[in-house]
Amino acid sequence: MSDNSRHDLDHGPIRKCQACGFDGLELVIDLGHQPPCDSLLTPAQLDEAENTYPLRFLRCPNCSLAQIDYAVAPEVLFYADYPYRSGITSTLAHNLRSTGFKAIEKFLLNPGDLAVDIGSNDGTLLSAFKEKGMRVLGVEPTNIANIANENGIPTIQRFFTQEVSRQVREEHGLASVVTAANMFAHVEKLGSLISGVESLLADGGIFITESHYLLDLLETVQYDSIYHEHLKYYSLKSLIRVFSEYNFTITDVDRIENYGGSIRVYAVKGRNLPISETVTRLLAEEERKGLYTSAPFKVFAERVRKSKFDLQQLLFNAKANGKTVVGVGCPGRSSTLVNYCGIDVDVMPIIAEQSSSLKLGLRLPGKHIPIVDEKLMFEEQPDYALILSWHYWRPIVKNLRAKGLKSKIIIPLPDVRVME
Ligand SMILES: [Zn+2]
């Protein structure tokens, strides 16, 4: 059994690197105290106090992991009515399913093999394995587990722990593949998670994780993907560092477009296994781009500040000239952007979401902007529409125009620009 204590965090301030334990973390940018980005408020909650926590972005000069330095309790972040549902965005659903199909092809998985998805949300990823005749099991802490179960994807409503791992092993046998798409950067007890996966997998089994990729985050100025749920921002080098302490070898890596740029990493159970050249090539690129030095982080911080000032100037001028502004889309990251840039209801009175969204009627944390059905926006035709899911701006803008939106469109990042 691997010793995983170092990779298990407690709530509160984080003093040392979450991957290597180095205690000389360097501050890249301070985004201020912010509320948890998915803690949308009901109108009744506006009469209560709202908690905020530090949101600072730091880098480790030793192992290159970027990270925040405060862990909010997971029960606060991933409460039972957590509103995020992966199947709802069609691009995302497609990408999640392709993770399953790719794994089957790459590792010759067979019908009847067991696939387990951790943080399985509504079961979208597992549906791909199921379609190919594999046995599937989801582990999901929020009530979205009910939607998965209703859709025929068996799902345990729990956080994944060593105990859950043991329970699954006893009831279903060893897994051929375990996936963790976009939750690997969220998890507080990372050591327990990896050890739990290690004991759930058969020898030669694969653990596939997907995380935001640090290089994409820096190059496209995605500071809005920095929020409390994301404790870590991985380089490939730092992921290798983490897995080196367990019975795994990272044998392969894909860069994928999810969430504005992610890496999908294949860790095979066993040590010192043959490594694909995708791994050596990406490590060389990280090195070449200076990802192990402070230089790209300094450029990033400057660009973040500039984008903030440019956006403020644009919006405040628009308001001063009597123009109307509406936000479009309300992903978790919109909270970081809106709160960091100080955009309040006086500037942007509503955020429009599609009619099927579970967020309608709620308020954005911090600035308390009401989230409304997008029909209202199409009726009102505001002067400006600020795209908050800007990392998917192409299909979104196309869709908005097709539905008849005439507003000028603002893309806030990586540099602020306005489309007529
Ligand atoms: Zn480190």
Side-chain angles (χ1 to χ4, degrees), residues 17-22 25 60-65 67 241:
C17 174
Q18 299 173 41
C20 74
F22 185 70
L25 296 176
C60 174
N62 186 46
C63 77
S64 86
L65 182 75
Q67 52 205 291
R241 178 74 181 73

